[in-house]
Amino acid sequence: MKIAFVGKGGSGKTTLSSLFVRHVTASGTPVIAVDADINQHLAAALGLTDEEAAALPPMGAQLPLIKDYLRGTNPRIPSAETMIKTTPPGEGSRLLRVREDNPVYAACARNVELDGGAARLMVTGPFTESDLGVACYHSKVGAVELCLNHLVDARDEYVVVDMTAGSDSFASGMFTRFDLTFLVAEPTRKGVSVYRQYKSYAQDFGIALAVVGNKVQGEDDLAFLREEVGDDLLVTFAHSDWVRAMEKGRPHPFEQLEEANATALRTMTDAADASYEHRDWARYTRQMVHFHRKNAASWGNAKTGADLADQIDPAFVLGEGLADGIGGGLEGDLAVSGAQDAGVSSAPCAPLPA
């Protein structure tokens, strides 16, 4: 399952995404955790030291390797240089699996030992000196979007992405890549304003959205969230001494997390499991193709000097039934059309590097 955490900056989405990762790995479930936020804090929230976090390999720096591996023998993609962040897989493309070992994970992922298990951690990386003043963060998360477009996951495994704050994630099609999006909201006007904006943008794309209230201190806070977000409110988190100790670099065993917050995490995993019942690989592929067409027309064709719509394999649908390694084949009788889904602007502030 692919799960996203979004919310206003400072809402606690990184903390809650790290708790969710810890909770899932404790049951032995394979997890890939991805820090796709502008502010890179997921590694620290998972217990890494500042030095260990700084040593994590940024995905953007491995973009040529990622492109070349995913391209495989796809005849529609003559070179890695013609791939952009939205390039969809087709016959001959290599697909990523959560449980496998491959060159992309070897270059970009590191195992993080947690209580009762381990997770693979991948990070987009922070701004570099050469980025300052000339690039926006959406050029960083392009590597994540490309990998998600080529990733085949199953019910009993997780990909958890800590997204950039606010509604900035709508600057790409990556917001459509998830089975369930947890929106972390504080019981404040600013906290719920991001929820309203996100729901408004997402409503035309069939995005499953669940609100997780955070920093809820009493019945008044709970009543406020219920009034503002209604049935979208899934669960709430209160103050946590366990989290405070973790933030000081003195984490206790995860089994000592407060029972109320542990129960909230179980509710979230139940909701994630239920969301998988609605997984629609055909729609997933259509949306992928839709945003690729938009990006190709907006900037990709000009950047690469090629008609990137030619990369679309009309008979390809991503899905679990594809053979391991090299993807290919049509599941069902659907021919993919990118014109079937309405869209929001996906033009980046700065193109993904070739």
Side-chain angles (χ1 to χ4, degrees), residues 23-325:
H23 173 70
V24 174
T25 57
S27 67
T29 303
V31 178
I32 295 176
V34 183
D35 193 343
D37 194 0
I38 292 175
N39 300 303
Q40 301 269 283
H41 296 310
L42 183 58
L46 290 174
L48 273 65
T49 65
D50 291 344
E51 292 75 18
E52 290 170 334
L56 292 170
M59 295 177 69
Q62 300 296 330
L63 196 55
L65 179 151
I66 294 172
K67 289 181 175 181
D68 197 56
Y69 179 77
L70 297 179
R71 181 170 66 94
T73 60
N74 188 333
R76 296 174 179 272
I77 307 175
S79 68
E81 288 73 22
T82 60
M83 293 181 73
I84 61 173
K85 65 179 183 177
T86 55
T87 295
E91 181 73 31
S93 295
R94 287 193 179 95
L95 305 178
L96 302 175
R97 310 278 173 161
V98 172
R99 300 172 188 264
E100 70 181 1
D101 294 319
N102 59 54
V104 173
Y105 296 160
C108 301
R110 295 294 181 266
N111 285 342
V112 177
E113 296 295 328
L114 302 168
D115 292 300
R120 275 176 168 155
L121 175 61
M122 304 171 72
V123 301
T124 58
F127 278 111
T128 64
E129 184 176 349
S130 61
D131 295 325
L132 298 179
V134 297
C136 79
Y137 196 68
H138 306 122
S139 64
K140 297 288 184 184
V141 299
V144 180
E145 185 170 1
L146 188 62
C147 286
L148 291 178
N149 281 352
H150 289 76
L151 193 147
V152 180
D153 57 306
R155 175 192 296 276
D156 58 344
E157 52 196 25
Y158 276 91
V159 179
V160 180
V161 182
D162 182 18
M163 300 279 278
T164 192
S167 57
D168 284 354
S169 55
F170 285 96
S172 76
M174 195 162 70
F175 72 95
T176 65
R177 303 296 84 195
F178 304 101
D179 296 294
L180 182 60
T181 296
F182 289 122
L183 190 146
V184 181
E186 299 170 270
T188 64
R189 291 174 60 190
K190 288 183 178 180
V192 299
S193 66
V194 172
Y195 155 76
R196 294 195 187 97
Q197 190 174 33
Y198 207 102
K199 185 168 184 176
S200 174
Y201 288 158
Q203 63 185 358
D204 292 332
F205 293 87
I207 305 303
L209 185 67
V211 175
V212 178
N214 193 30
K215 306 177 186 178
V216 176
Q217 298 182 8
E219 286 299 322
D220 185 65
D221 285 348
L222 180 58
F224 176 83
L225 285 173
R226 284 174 173 164
E227 180 180 352
E228 295 294 330
V229 308
D231 292 340
D232 286 339
L233 180 63
L234 175 68
V235 73
T236 62
F237 281 78
H239 171 79
S240 172
D241 290 334
W242 190 97
V243 169
R244 181 57 59 89
M246 180 269 294
E247 291 175 339
K248 292 178 178 178
R250 305 167 186 170
H252 302 304
F254 187 60
E255 62 186 16
Q256 295 180 14
L257 181 72
E258 299 84 3
E259 180 56 31
N261 291 330
T263 299
L265 289 172
R266 289 192 289 270
T267 300
M268 292 171 68
T269 54
D270 288 345
D273 289 341
S275 73
Y276 194 83
E277 298 293 337
H278 305 288
R279 169 72 68 88
D280 184 344
W281 284 109
R283 183 179 69 182
Y284 188 90
T285 306
R286 284 199 305 271
Q287 290 175 334
M288 184 193 314
V289 167
H290 168 71
F291 282 107
H292 182 61
R293 291 186 187 276
K294 288 176 69 70
N295 278 270
S298 176
W299 61 274
N301 291 345
K303 177 177 175 59
T304 63
D307 184 356
L308 299 184
D310 290 341
Q311 295 177 343
I312 299 168
D313 185 342
F316 184 90
V317 175
L318 192 65
E320 291 182 61
L322 298 177
D324 290 338

